[in-house]
């Protein structure tokens, strides 16, 4: 069991539910609405992605293709192609806006954390008083970044993506060497949305065997919540699910996200499954 902010995760604690809003906001106003919706639904935390587009993207003309949902009823989709830089600029916010957003989450008793890519981002999370730091799958072997994150003493969450088990072990050992054992390891399938063949839910069992002292999590990038039910049943102690205000928004990741009415249903479903799972011992009554 570990502590993230004011809440506990792992062990015999209820599944810690995180709503991911990092890719589905377009500035402070929509971000605040997503935080408020997360609190109303009963989430434990809300997560964002902090970055500077001018630092992250060197080629401002580099194109990025993604699918959007055109019609909710028919499921019709359309492929969009636009500069990655433009996409990231829609999500960028100033330091003062990030602090406003974190304070808003805190006022609603939501834990708040973010994925980071640079040491300056980590420093911003420290200054904001955040509850956890997440390392993206692409940075699982970025040892200096992980080392700097671990030294903050905050809970470290590791996305694993296509990382080898050896790379995951090394990342964990770096955190341990810095005296940080508040670690969450995510089974984070590649793809947006993730392909069924890439999800590999059995990895949750493998990670639980390899790292019994840590929380093993599932970051879901699929429509619906079937994969989350399966991950919960396999022992995931934390589930991260992407949310949006509108699935038909013309931007990445919205088409497989939960809208506010579904967010309530999602959390209710997780709690019902936890209740139904019961005890590992036979209880007669």
């Amino acid at each position: 069991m570990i502590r993230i902010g004011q809440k506990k995760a792992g062990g015999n604690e209820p599944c810690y539910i995180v709503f991911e809003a990092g890719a589905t906001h377009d500035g402070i106003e929509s971000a605040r609405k997503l935080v408020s919706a997360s609190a109303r639904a009963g989430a434990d935390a809300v997560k964002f992605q902090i970055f500077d587009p001018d630092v992250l993207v060197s080629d401002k003309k580099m194109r990025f293709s993604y699918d959007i949902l055109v019609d909710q009823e028919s499921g019709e989709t359309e492929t969009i192609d636009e500069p990655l830089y433009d996409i990231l600029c829609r999500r960028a916010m100033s330091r003062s806006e990030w602090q406003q957003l974190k304070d808003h989450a805190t006022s609603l008793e939501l834990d708040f954390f973010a994925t980071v890519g640079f040491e300056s981002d980590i420093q911003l999370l420290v200054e904001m008083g955040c509850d956890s730091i997440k390392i993206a799958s692409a940075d699982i072997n970025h040892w200096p970044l992980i080392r700097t994150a671990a030294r903050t003493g905050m809970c470290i969450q590791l996305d694993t993506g296509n990382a080898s088990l050896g790379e995951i072990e090394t990342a964990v050992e770096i955190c341990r060497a810095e005296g940080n054992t508040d670690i969450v390891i995510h089974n984070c399938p590649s793809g947006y949305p993730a392909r069924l063949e890439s999800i590999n839910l059995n990895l949750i069992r493998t990670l639980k065997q390899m790292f019994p002292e840590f929380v093993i999590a599932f970051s879901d990038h699929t429509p619906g919540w079937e994969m989350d039910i399966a991950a919960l049943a396999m022992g995931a102690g934390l589930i991260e699910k992407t949310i949006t205000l509108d699935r038909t928004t013309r931007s990445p990741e919205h088409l497989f996200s939960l809208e506010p009415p579904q967010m309530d249903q999602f959390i209710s479903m997780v709690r019902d499954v936890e209740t139904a799972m019961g005890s590992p011992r036979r209880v007669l009554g």
Side-chain angles (χ1 to χ4, degrees):
M1 183 193 71
I2 64 170
R3 181 174 290 279
I4 306 175
Q6 299 303 309
K7 304 180 182 74
K8 297 175 182 178
N12 295 320
E13 297 296 320
C15 182
Y16 186 98
I17 299 175
V18 180
F19 281 147
E20 158 73 285
T24 53
H25 74 90
D26 58 6
I28 184 65
E29 291 307 317
S30 62
R32 283 179 62 90
K33 290 178 181 177
L34 287 166
V35 169
S36 296
S38 298
R40 285 195 298 270
D44 294 298
V46 63
K47 174 191 164 293
F48 287 85
Q49 301 166 11
I50 292 181
F51 52 80
D52 182 340
D54 290 304
V55 174
L56 192 61
V57 182
S58 57
D59 181 0
K60 304 298 189 292
K61 296 181 180 180
M62 183 173 67
R63 311 292 292 187
F64 183 78
S65 296
Y66 57 91
D67 291 335
I68 63 166
L69 182 65
V70 176
D71 184 82
Q72 294 256 24
E73 292 187 8
S74 67
E76 179 187 354
T77 62
E78 176 186 342
T79 299
I80 301 292
D81 180 272
E82 64 175 321
L84 177 62
Y85 180 74
D86 292 354
I87 296 171
L88 297 180
C89 282
R90 293 198 291 266
R91 308 175 190 169
M93 293 196 289
S94 67
R95 284 175 171 258
S96 63
E97 288 175 326
W98 282 120
Q99 186 66 65
Q100 291 175 41
L101 193 62
K102 195 275 179 185
D103 292 344
H104 180 52
T106 299
S107 72
L108 297 175
E109 299 184 349
L110 276 176
D111 290 338
F112 181 99
F113 57 94
T115 299
V116 298
F118 297 91
E119 293 190 6
S120 58
D121 303 330
I122 295 174
Q123 184 57 39
L124 175 58
L125 294 193
V126 171
E127 293 171 2
M128 290 166 55
C130 287
D131 301 302
S132 181
I133 297 175
K134 196 171 188 191
I135 304 296
S137 297
D139 290 324
I140 191 66
N141 58 1
H142 188 339
W143 314 138
L145 182 72
I146 294 172
R147 186 172 293 110
T148 299
R151 286 174 179 168
T152 66
M154 277 190 262
C155 168
I156 304 301
Q157 301 196 42
L158 301 170
D159 268 345
T160 56
N162 292 320
S164 68
L165 293 177
E167 287 175 321
I168 299 170
E169 286 180 311
T170 301
V172 167
E173 286 308 313
I174 288 172
C175 294
R176 279 175 163 156
E178 298 300 330
N180 193 327
T181 56
D182 286 339
I183 301 171
V184 178
I185 304 172
H186 288 250
N187 174 11
C188 181
S190 59
Y192 297 89
R195 296 176 296 104
L196 290 178
E197 297 81 5
S198 73
I199 295 174
N200 194 14
L201 287 169
N202 278 319
L203 183 61
I204 293 173
R205 289 188 176 132
T206 300
L207 293 173
K208 286 178 68 68
Q209 291 172 353
M210 292 178 64
F211 306 103
E213 69 272 45
F214 301 137
V215 176
I216 305 304
F218 178 58
S219 292
D220 188 21
H221 301 138
T222 63
W225 45 58
E226 295 88 347
M227 299 304 110
D228 302 282
I229 295 174
L232 181 66
M234 296 179 80
L238 181 153
I239 290 176
E240 180 183 304
K241 186 72 174 176
T242 308
I243 60 171
T244 179
L245 296 173
D246 182 357
R247 292 182 64 218
T248 62
T249 302
R250 297 176 68 85
S251 200
E253 301 194 29
H254 291 269
L255 85 167
F256 60 81
S257 301
L258 300 178
E259 293 176 332
Q262 297 171 311
M263 292 161 62
D264 296 57
Q265 296 169 24
F266 177 81
I267 291 182
S268 178
M269 176 276 302
V270 170
R271 300 307 178 211
D272 285 350
V273 171
E274 285 181 312
T275 299
M277 286 170 64
S279 168
R281 302 182 64 182
R282 170 64 73 183
V283 178
L284 300 177

